[in-house]
Amino acid sequence: MKLSLLLLSLALSAALNAEEDQPLEYHLAPTREFPTRTWKVSETEAKSWKGPFASALRIMLEAGFPDAAGLPYHRIRISTGNCYTGDDGITQTEGWLLPSKEGEPVFVIAWNGLIYPVVEDTGAANLKERVDMITKVGEKERASWFDTAEATQATPGSLSLIHGLHLTRLGYPEAAEYVLKNREQPLKAPELEGNLALDWVWNLYERAVSAHMRGDPQMALASLTTCKQAIAALEKTLKPVDRMFGNVDSWKEDITVLERDCERRLKSGKTGLFEAKPFAARAHSIPELIDALDRIAIPQDGQPGDVPLWESPVVKALVAKGDGAVEPLLQCLESDTRLTQSVHFWRSFSKSRTILGVHEAAMYALQSLLEADFFELASTGDSLSSRDPEYRKKLATVIRADWEKYGRATGPARAFRMLQDDAAGIDAWMQAGNSLLHKTEYDEESGDPIPPKGPMPGEPLREKREPSVSDLLEKRAAEAGKQADTGDKEAGHGRMALLSILLEWDEARGRAAIGKLAASWLENRAWSSEKTEIVQKFIGNVAEKAPEVLPVFEAMAWTLPPGDYIGWNHRSGFITTMYLKHEAALKRKGLWTDPESPWCMDKLKVRDLEDVIGYWKEQELLDKPPFKAIVARLLSDTTECGEIYIDAKNPKHWWLRGDEGSGGPGLPDDAKVGLKPGESLPVRRQDVAGKTLKESSYLSDQSQEPVLEYYWSLKDRDAWLAKVSAEFNSSK
């Protein structure tokens, strides 16, 4: 982001939020009948409009875009939403007040082209002053393509395309031009007109979805009404727009479904905040709990990500009902057409939202009850609610058949029967075994796992004999092992999972079985035929109770190169963690220093060195032996571990030789740059160590000092490293 845009954002933020940030408040729309402000057609007026938005402005105003001309400009506070929770609280911004009678709700036109009920009017604002902020800061780039939050778009500083309409209408065509300036691709009519139409329609639709999520059906219905009118009026303008950027036809279908659901909520009084935890904690019948599925408001966990409906207190309360909840939930899955207040999306900036149906919540409740996965997502944007009604009916038939196959039982009784079933398959055995153990729960504030309390769910099965649960788990692990030994990697995963379950259920039997597997793996490196990431996870999970796997860990650590490991942020995480936990039990020493080790720091290339040192920093190991001594030595090691160069034929990028594919964009205007097209410079171990320390925020003084770049001259790198090395060696 350019400095000018940052300064603009800071200036507007300071001006609009001089008071302390307000806590989230909850305000429902006072009515579903929002006023309008339509343009009175004037050819003379239309001809007076100047700039790139002039033709689009007329199209939009004739389609019902609210006309701010002649209205008082005020500082106001409005309710806004987002695609995670639906509720962004109260946004302080500026807009144009619509005429109102005393005692009636006051409405305002916001910068995103939407009309809002005013939560609070804090007085007149200076529009010219706001425009001057836009034009005086300097060259602008458009608002970030991913910054599409309603609260951002409704403010004067975001510079969306719709801002250009307001500025043109109010006589500031020069300021409107800044909205288009420096866009990645210049927009001209009719493309500009299509994009403006799409953005306005989307703003209306997304606000309706957010309002629904926070229990405000009146706001949703008001938005949907205007949205339908806009789609109809802008049909020709919207038609050329690539469906990839917004599928308006799909929105039409969704609008119909959402309107029906909002009408139902108004009639039944299901509005406002729903406190799921207190509700679920009270005694409720199964029908009452199923009725409350439409109030589930679970946010998506990242983007892309899942909407974990199974974590809803209402869903958990249904699961706790056991066998009696299965048939009502199957009926809900088959035929319930209500919506939840939870929304799934691919990315926040993508013009697509899927409001999940209560049948999807019922499906996840059934999967929890039956400890089986009947539905799999086809992609990160997929959901059961995006499938057609026939699919869910077929899914209900499959689940019912499976339930009846195991005696219409849930819980331990069902799990035991599944483990007894020779034809159930590895996945089913794994799911059955896992259901006998404590489920990992996490603290909502810290995110740390909560130690389990009480007996395991499968404890009633301890009395089973001939076969016992341990007999069955060991038998199923052996059967999975037979398939794994023929090269079936998925079966290998199953064997390790079943042995992990056996270890938790019966430590003595599990440890013995894992010992046998470890011994067989060590023969001819049989462990290497398994998926490395699965072996990593297995060893990490069982090593504490079954140290018999530690020789396998050592064999891996001293054989596989860093690139063969899997890690979310660091490939070195598994190796470092196991080394720290089990160092005393390991036979070979010097993992980081022995030249025969693939992890020897004197052999690693640039990216692997960055990975290892970065992980040590994150785990706060750099003040402990042997890590501090290793890094201190690296800071003075002038040995080359890579080479940076610029190809004369492609001077726009630099590359690292030795870490193929690693590189970056063209060099900045920096006096320290020592690299020219067609030339190369060495990258030394001390460069990598120093750069990673500073980028990883190891040293407390991060201030505004630049961090070493590999394309700096050796002289500048040496001067920078001298200071970093002195600080590191003097730190405690």
Side-chain angles (χ1 to χ4, degrees):
M1 182 178 291
K2 294 185 178 180
L3 180 60
S4 59
L5 184 61
L6 176 60
L7 291 172
L8 173 67
S9 299
L10 291 174
L12 290 174
S13 176
L16 292 173
N17 297 293
E19 303 171 8
E20 292 184 6
D21 290 341
Q22 298 291 328
L24 286 181
E25 299 178 29
Y26 204 81
H27 288 266
L28 299 180
T31 176
R32 61 187 290 179
E33 304 294 336
F34 283 22
T36 57
R37 172 76 174 184
T38 55
W39 176 56
K40 295 180 180 178
V41 179
S42 167
E43 295 296 333
T44 302
E45 191 173 46
K47 289 178 181 179
S48 70
W49 298 332
K50 306 296 182 185
F53 288 89
S55 62
L57 176 59
R58 175 160 191 165
I59 292 172
M60 295 294 288
L61 287 173
E62 289 180 343
F65 185 82
D67 184 9
L71 295 176
Y73 187 67
H74 276 225
R75 290 166 57 92
I76 42 86
R77 299 172 71 230
I78 57 176
S79 291
T80 58
N82 60 51
C83 55
Y84 286 97
T85 64
D87 187 12
D88 245 352
I90 304 303
T91 297
Q92 184 163 294
T93 182
E94 296 171 359
W96 298 267
L97 292 182
L98 294 170
S100 63
K101 296 180 180 179
E102 189 174 348
E104 293 184 350
V106 179
F107 290 84
V108 67
I109 301 172
W111 279 90
N112 59 358
L114 307 189
I115 293 174
Y116 289 86
V118 174
V119 174
E120 183 182 10
D121 177 3
T122 57
N126 190 322
L127 177 60
K128 182 64 167 59
E129 194 174 272
R130 291 289 163 254
V131 175
D132 286 346
M133 281 189 180
I134 293 173
T135 57
K136 287 182 179 179
V137 171
E139 189 178 277
K140 302 286 182 304
E141 64 179 357
R142 64 185 175 87
S144 298
W145 55 271
F146 54 81
D147 191 5
T148 58
E150 182 184 354
T152 302
Q153 298 291 311
T155 59
S158 65
L159 296 185
S160 72
L161 288 178
I162 288 176
H163 286 55
L165 291 178
H166 289 305
L167 292 167
T168 301
R169 179 68 180 100
L170 297 169
Y172 300 102
E174 296 86 1
E177 288 185 17
Y178 279 100
V179 174
L180 291 180
K181 203 168 186 178
N182 289 336
R183 294 181 67 89
E184 292 176 3
Q185 294 181 344
L187 289 174
K188 296 180 180 179
E191 187 181 12
L192 175 59
E193 295 158 2
N195 276 267
L196 279 163
L198 187 72
D199 286 352
W200 185 45
V201 169
W202 173 252
N203 286 352
L204 287 162
Y205 176 64
E206 187 178 34
R207 182 177 68 171
V209 173
S210 297
H212 166 76
M213 293 171 72
R214 65 179 182 266
D216 192 349
Q218 295 203 123
M219 172 74 86
L221 287 166
S223 295
L224 293 173
T225 297
T226 307
C227 188
K228 288 194 301 182
Q229 294 168 351
I231 290 173
L234 293 166
E235 184 177 3
K236 290 183 179 179
T237 308
L238 288 166
K239 192 172 183 179
V241 177
D242 193 327
R243 290 164 66 94
M244 172 183 174
F245 300 108
N247 188 345
V248 180
D249 290 335
S250 174
W251 302 348
K252 289 180 185 178
E253 298 173 10
D254 296 338
I255 286 169
T256 301
V257 174
L258 181 53
E259 270 190 319
R260 183 177 64 238
D261 202 75
C262 287
E263 295 283 7
R264 177 188 62 79
R265 288 172 186 272
L266 279 177
K267 290 178 182 177
S268 62
K270 290 189 172 185
T271 64
L273 183 66
F274 175 70
E275 297 184 356
K277 278 188 176 179
F279 173 85
R282 298 190 292 270
H284 290 286
S285 66
I286 292 173
E288 288 172 331
L289 289 169
I290 288 180
D291 180 67
L293 289 176
D294 66 347
R295 301 307 312 272
I296 292 177
I298 299 292
Q300 182 167 308
D301 56 2
Q303 54 172 315
D306 295 326
V307 181
L309 296 177
W310 54 89
E311 292 182 359
S312 162
V314 177
V315 170
K316 288 182 177 180
L318 276 164
V319 173
K321 294 291 184 179
D323 297 1
V326 177
E327 184 56 43
L329 284 167
L330 283 167
Q331 293 175 14
C332 178
L333 172 59
E334 286 174 319
S335 58
D336 202 324
T337 60
R338 296 174 299 149
L339 300 175
T340 68
Q341 291 173 224
S342 302
V343 168
H344 187 225
F345 55 91
W346 176 62
R347 292 286 197 281
S348 59
F349 54 79
S350 174
K351 290 181 171 64
S352 176
R353 302 286 183 263
T354 301
I355 305 175
L356 303 182
V358 297
H359 67 282
E360 188 150 353
M363 184 271 296
Y364 282 117
L366 286 164
Q367 290 196 155
S368 295
L369 268 167
L370 303 180
E371 296 286 351
D373 294 330
F374 298 103
F375 174 75
E376 290 187 10
L377 298 174
S379 66
T380 55
D382 191 20
S383 65
L384 178 60
S385 299
S386 64
R387 309 294 180 90
D388 60 52
E390 283 304 311
Y391 180 90
R392 53 193 272 202
K393 289 179 181 178
K394 291 177 181 177
L395 180 61
T397 300
V398 169
I399 296 175
R400 182 177 279 108
D402 186 87
W403 177 47
E404 291 175 347
K405 177 181 179 181
Y406 296 110
R408 299 171 70 93
T410 61
R414 172 181 165 85
F416 191 78
R417 292 170 186 172
M418 290 175 71
L419 287 171
Q420 285 182 303
D421 183 4
D422 292 336
I426 296 173
D427 287 343
W429 297 330
M430 289 165 54
Q431 290 165 353
N434 274 317
S435 72
L436 304 178
L437 309 178
H438 286 296
K439 287 183 172 59
T440 304
E441 301 285 348
Y442 296 91
D443 185 271
E444 292 184 0
E445 295 185 3
S446 68
D448 295 331
I450 301 171
K453 296 180 180 179
M456 292 182 183
E459 208 65 33
L461 300 179
R462 293 281 184 192
E463 298 178 356
K464 293 284 187 180
R465 295 290 184 273
E466 296 183 359
S468 67
V469 171
S470 298
D471 293 336
L472 291 172
L473 287 171
E474 192 165 1
K475 177 182 178 181
R476 299 314 178 195
E479 292 180 16
K482 290 177 183 177
Q483 297 180 44
D485 291 340
T486 65
D488 187 334
K489 294 184 183 295
E490 291 303 319
H493 176 203
R495 170 169 59 184
M496 287 180 264
L498 287 162
L499 288 176
S500 297
I501 294 167
L502 177 59
L503 184 67
E504 286 296 309
W505 177 261
D506 185 338
E507 187 170 327
R509 294 273 296 267
R511 183 171 177 178
I514 289 171
K516 290 179 182 179
L517 175 63
S520 67
W521 269 355
L522 289 171
E523 295 178 13
N524 302 318
R525 285 186 57 197
W527 53 268
S528 63
S529 63
E530 307 280 1
K531 285 186 176 180
T532 302
E533 64 269 30
I534 302 301
V535 176
Q536 283 180 223
K537 184 177 180 180
F538 174 64
I539 290 175
N541 286 342
V542 306
E544 200 72 39
K545 292 183 177 180
E548 289 79 6
V549 297
L550 290 177
V552 179
F553 164 70
E554 282 196 277
M556 290 181 68
W558 287 81
T559 305
L560 295 183
D564 285 4
Y565 293 86
I566 303 296
W568 181 251
N569 290 316
H570 296 277
R571 294 188 300 274
S572 57
F574 168 69
I575 292 292
T576 305
T577 301
M578 290 294 295
Y579 174 87
L580 289 171
K581 282 186 177 181
H582 305 285
E583 181 182 8
L586 300 177
K587 294 180 179 180
R588 297 190 70 173
K589 308 299 179 184
L591 183 65
W592 314 109
T593 56
D594 190 323
E596 293 185 9
S597 168
W599 290 94
C600 177
M601 300 294 274
D602 294 334
K603 294 167 53 178
L604 297 183
K605 296 295 185 180
V606 176
R607 295 310 186 203
D608 289 333
L609 268 178
E610 290 174 340
D611 182 278
V612 174
I613 298 172
Y615 185 75
W616 291 356
K617 160 59 192 79
E618 286 185 10
Q619 301 303 309
E620 300 181 352
L621 300 174
L622 293 178
D623 59 347
K624 299 178 176 63
F627 308 106
K628 184 175 179 66
I630 292 173
V631 174
R633 178 172 55 79
L634 287 170
L635 284 170
S636 61
D637 188 346
T638 60
T639 307
E640 296 180 18
C641 58
E643 184 181 56
I644 185 171
Y645 69 98
I646 297 181
D647 189 334
K649 296 180 180 179
N650 183 19
K652 293 184 178 180
H653 283 75
W654 56 265
W655 303 97
L656 275 173
R657 187 174 283 119
D659 278 290
E660 301 307 327
S662 296
L667 303 179
D669 185 13
D670 185 342
K672 295 185 177 67
V673 172
L675 193 62
K676 296 179 180 179
E679 297 181 353
S680 63
L681 285 172
V683 177
R684 306 163 301 182
R685 298 194 187 286
Q686 61 180 169
D687 300 325
V688 179
K691 178 179 174 65
T692 308
L693 285 178
K694 293 295 279 187
E695 285 186 336
S696 299
S697 304
Y698 169 66
L699 300 173
S700 59
D701 180 18
Q702 291 299 303
S703 60
Q704 300 299 317
E705 292 186 18
V707 176
L708 179 148
E709 296 290 355
Y710 299 138
Y711 48 70
W712 283 6
S713 69
L714 294 179
K715 179 181 178 181
D716 286 311
R717 282 190 247 168
D718 288 340
W720 186 89
L721 284 165
K723 182 178 180 180
V724 171
S725 181
E727 290 177 348
F728 180 80
N729 289 319
S730 63
S731 64
K732 296 181 180 180

